[in-house]
Amino acid sequence: MEQYREEFERQCKPQGDCVVWTGAKFSSGGGKFRVDGRYTSARRVAWALSGGILSDRYIQTTCGNPDCVHPDHLFSTDTQCGPEYEDYSERLAMGQRMIDGEMDEDVKVDR
């Protein structure tokens, strides 16, 4: 993955506390980056370049900025979340996750 760092970083731009993805995007709006001939999520690449372990888990942001790829704003979780969940950043800061739109207080997210 390290061989992609320079190209990846050329497509990132500091914006406030975030580092935003300025490269190509999927039709859904999420950043995409080509690795070994296949597109993958820009967040997943940022996670891997920062030493995170890639698996089938989602890579989400704590800042609420869907374009952010700042490693300090990323975390791995087994459920999808995003701005459509009211106050999701606060719940994530407390280490909670959402299941079917309801807060699950018994499950913690990984960092």
Side-chain angles (χ1 to χ4, degrees):
M1 186 63 71
E2 193 61 34
Q3 68 270 27
Y4 297 106
R5 182 178 299 279
E6 187 176 324
E7 181 183 350
F8 183 84
E9 289 177 350
R10 278 196 306 265
Q11 298 179 68
C12 298
K13 177 179 83 169
Q15 185 179 73
D17 290 340
C18 297
V19 174
V20 296
W21 180 251
T22 62
K25 294 189 177 186
F26 290 107
S27 60
S28 62
K32 67 180 181 179
F33 186 80
R34 189 181 298 270
V35 175
D36 295 333
R38 297 182 63 196
Y39 281 111
T40 189
S41 158
R43 284 187 197 163
R44 293 180 70 74
V45 175
W47 180 256
L49 288 172
S50 69
I53 297 170
L54 289 178
S55 63
D56 61 350
R57 296 168 61 89
Y58 296 101
I59 306 301
Q60 301 290 341
T61 65
T62 59
C63 61
N65 182 343
D67 295 326
C68 185
V69 292
H70 192 305
D72 292 344
H73 295 188
L74 302 177
F75 68 96
S76 171
T77 184
D78 61 354
T79 189
Q80 205 167 13
C81 56
E84 65 275 14
Y85 294 108
E86 187 175 317
D87 300 324
Y88 88 105
S89 293
E90 291 176 23
R91 287 192 284 272
L92 294 176
M94 293 185 295
Q96 298 167 337
R97 72 174 190 169
M98 298 293 294
I99 296 178
D100 296 328
E102 298 294 324
M103 185 167 52
D104 183 351
E105 299 186 24
D106 298 324
V107 181
K108 301 293 182 183
V109 295
D110 295 338
R111 179 68 180 120

